[in-house]
Each structure stands twice: as structure tokens, then as C-alpha cells.
Amino acid sequence: MANTLIFGGSGKVARHITRLLAAEGHNVYSIIRKPEQQDDVKSLGGKPILQSIEDSSVDDMVKTIKETKPSTIIWAAGAGGGSPDRTKAVDNEGAIRSMDATAKAGLTKRYIIISAVDVRDRENKPEPEWYNDGDRDRSNKVWNAIGPYMSAKLTADTSLVTQNSRRGLEYTIVRPGGLSQDPATGKVAAGKVHLNNMIPREDVAAFVVEVLKNDGTKGLAIDVVGGETPIRDAVAEVVRGKVDTFEGRY
Ligand SMILES: NC(=O)c1ccc[n+]([C@@H]2O[C@H](COP(=O)([O-])OP(=O)(O)OC[C@H]3O[C@@H](n4cnc5c(N)ncnc54)[C@H](OP(=O)(O)O)[C@@H]3O)[C@@H](O)[C@H]2O)c1
């Protein structure tokens, strides 16, 4: 039976991932920080571990990884974009410590992080060539509204990619568009997508589970929004074309 460890296991996407993986027989270990969330995680089939990411050192995280022996580590945490300080502590520094801890623990290389579409170095790198006026407008609005959050994700994702000769992880960056609480559709658009389509969190979770199953996603950064392609086919198409939407933009 596979063990999976989720950082931020009480999150709305993470809870769907927990339910889906537990139904497939995974042991899902779930790092959460609030004791009152334990029963909920258990009811989804997860095994809660009380540990605050922002208060955990790399070695604290290594200890958890060694205790849970995961074959896959999933980063689904986030401070929610409200406080810039907490955003830096969780989405940037906490995520990077989880990458270092995965490498240092040495038990698994497989690391999947949930980031966001349009995370990129807007100052120094060219705009994605498939962007249209709607994408440009959306990008400006999001970066103006939650710039520190987007920058925190950029720093973490850049570390994941540029420091990988040191860490040696088999990573995938999943970059969803705006998230909704709508029920799953089982269909998405992935790869070089436009930014304005929302995606249900349940579909993001199913997409992450499919990424976990498809080894061809290792080393890729994949944008995903609402669409019409069944999730398995969408992942397979991205893998076939080796479509990486972060490359050249950090
Ligand atoms: N909202 C969007 O439209 C959007 C778009 C693209 C990407 N994303 C990203 O997608 C990911 C998943 O989104 P979501 O809606 O599932 O987010 P969410 O419900 O806010 O989940 C994030 C989880 O991280 C946990 N967390 C925060 N700080 C922590 C800490 N110090 N220790 C342990 N856990 C901590 C939170 O726990 P608490 O309950 O304890 O706070 C929360 O459960 C996030 O990284 C988000 O940034 C969001």
C-alpha cells in the first residue's frame, strides 16, 4: 500500500485529494495545524499529523517524512494570500523547507506542489506567447491584487526548478487557475491555457491524483483550468507534448 504525505492536508483541495487517494487504498498522512480539524481529516480516510509548517524546521519535516515513509509528497498548503508575512512564511519559506526536507530525508524523490497559473517573472521574462488580451487583463488584475502571494509562489517554484541538481527531486508543479467550490466535472484544459476559466477544487484534486499516477509528468509545470478534456487525457496530452508552462519564465 502506498503512503502519501500531504503538507496542508486540511485545505479544500487537499481534503478532496485525501478522499480520492484513501479510496484507492493509499495511506494518506496529512499535516495540519489545528487539533479541531483532526476528526474531519480522519472522516475522509486521512491520518492527521499535528504540525505547523511555519513553525517547523527542515529537520522537523525530515522527522515526519521518516516516520510516515511516503512514496509521494504533495504540497497543498497556503496562507490564503491575506497576510504578506504569513504568505512568505508558508507559501515561500515553508514550501522550500519541505523541498529540502524531502531531499534530506532521502526516502522518496516524488514531490508534487500545487502552485497557481501565471506564476512567472513578469519583470524580466517574456510573456507566454499564447496569452491574449483577456489573459493580459487577468494577469494584471491578479498581480495587482495579490502580488506578494504570486511572488511567494514564484520564489518557491523557482527554487524547486533551479535547485534540483542539488535536491534531485522528481517534481511536478500543478498550476491551477481560479478555484471554485463547484462539483467535479472530470474535465479540464491543461497546458497552454487561457486564464479566465475557473476550475472546481475537486477537479484540481483529481488532476493531482492523475499526475501522481503518470510518471511522464516528472519535471513538468502544468497549467490547468476548467475545460472539456477528460482529466486522464489532458494529463496524457501534456506529457506527450512535454508542455511546460513555467520553463523560460523564471
Ligand atoms: N484560491 C484560488 O483561486 C487559488 C488559485 C490557484 C492556486 N491556489 C493555491 O492552491 C492551493 C490549494 O488551495 P485551497 O483552496 O485548497 O487552499 P486552502 O483551503 O486555503 O488550504 C490551504 C491549507 O494550508 C494550510 N496551512 C496554512 N498554514 C499552515 C501551517 N503553518 N501549517 C499547516 N497547514 C497550514 C491551511 O490550514 P488552516 O486551515 O490551518 O489555515 C489550509 O488548510 C493553495 O496553495 C493555493 O494558494 C489557489
Side-chain angles (χ1 to χ4, degrees):
M1 193 186 283
N3 291 359
T4 303
L5 176 65
I6 306 182
F7 282 87
S10 59
K12 293 183 279 298
V13 173
R15 294 169 73 258
H16 286 300
I17 296 173
T18 303
R19 182 176 47 76
L20 293 171
L21 287 178
E24 294 193 11
H26 284 236
N27 280 314
V28 185
Y29 293 97
S30 179
I31 295 178
I32 62 174
R33 61 181 177 143
K34 294 176 183 154
E36 64 270 24
Q37 292 167 338
Q38 290 181 98
D39 286 346
D40 185 40
V41 169
K42 282 183 199 164
S43 75
L44 296 164
K47 302 178 193 307
I49 295 167
L50 275 181
Q51 180 171 25
S52 172
I53 291 166
E54 58 212 280
D55 299 326
S56 297
S57 65
V58 169
D59 284 338
D60 294 333
M61 293 181 182
V62 167
K63 186 165 176 284
T64 302
I65 294 169
K66 287 191 168 165
E67 282 167 2
T68 55
K69 301 181 178 52
S71 51
T72 305
I73 292 179
I74 299 175
W75 174 273
S83 139
D85 287 347
R86 283 210 59 235
T87 296
K88 184 163 183 268
V90 179
D91 298 71
N92 166 349
E93 294 166 352
I96 290 173
R97 284 200 302 282
S98 79
M99 298 165 197
D100 286 335
T102 303
K104 188 169 179 184
L107 290 178
T108 182
K109 294 173 182 297
R110 189 67 172 122
Y111 180 95
I112 301 171
I113 188 167
I114 303 177
S115 178
V117 80
D118 199 44
V119 165
R120 62 190 170 100
D121 180 353
R122 298 205 326 161
E123 308 295 318
N124 302 304
K125 298 292 170 182
E127 181 185 87
E129 67 275 10
W130 62 92
Y131 275 20
N132 58 24
D133 284 348
D135 297 321
R136 227 158 271 134
D137 186 48
R138 170 92 187 175
S139 179
N140 287 336
K141 279 192 183 132
V142 169
W143 278 87
N144 286 335
I146 50 168
Y149 162 88
M150 296 295 278
S151 295
K153 298 270 191 215
L154 174 61
T155 304
D157 295 353
T158 301
S159 172
L160 183 57
V161 174
T162 62
Q163 302 292 304
N164 207 42
S165 53
R166 168 168 71 81
R167 295 194 189 103
L169 302 182
E170 294 170 345
Y171 65 79
T172 307
I173 306 175
V174 174
R175 299 165 32 106
L179 305 177
S180 79
Q181 287 295 81
D182 293 344
T185 66
K187 294 179 180 174
V188 297
K192 296 183 177 180
V193 300
H194 294 290
L195 305 181
N196 277 313
N197 285 350
M198 302 280 287
I199 178 168
R201 287 180 168 85
E202 209 174 342
D203 283 332
V204 174
F207 193 85
V208 168
V209 169
E210 185 58 31
V211 161
L212 188 158
K213 291 177 184 168
N214 188 328
D215 283 348
T217 61
K218 290 174 183 174
L220 293 180
I222 309 174
D223 289 9
V224 59
V225 297
E228 293 302 325
T229 309
I231 286 171
R232 183 174 297 172
D233 297 345
V235 171
E237 273 172 34
V238 165
V239 166
R240 217 170 8 252
K242 293 193 170 44
V243 183
D244 186 320
T245 42
F246 192 45
E247 197 173 1
R249 298 190 176 84
Y250 53 84

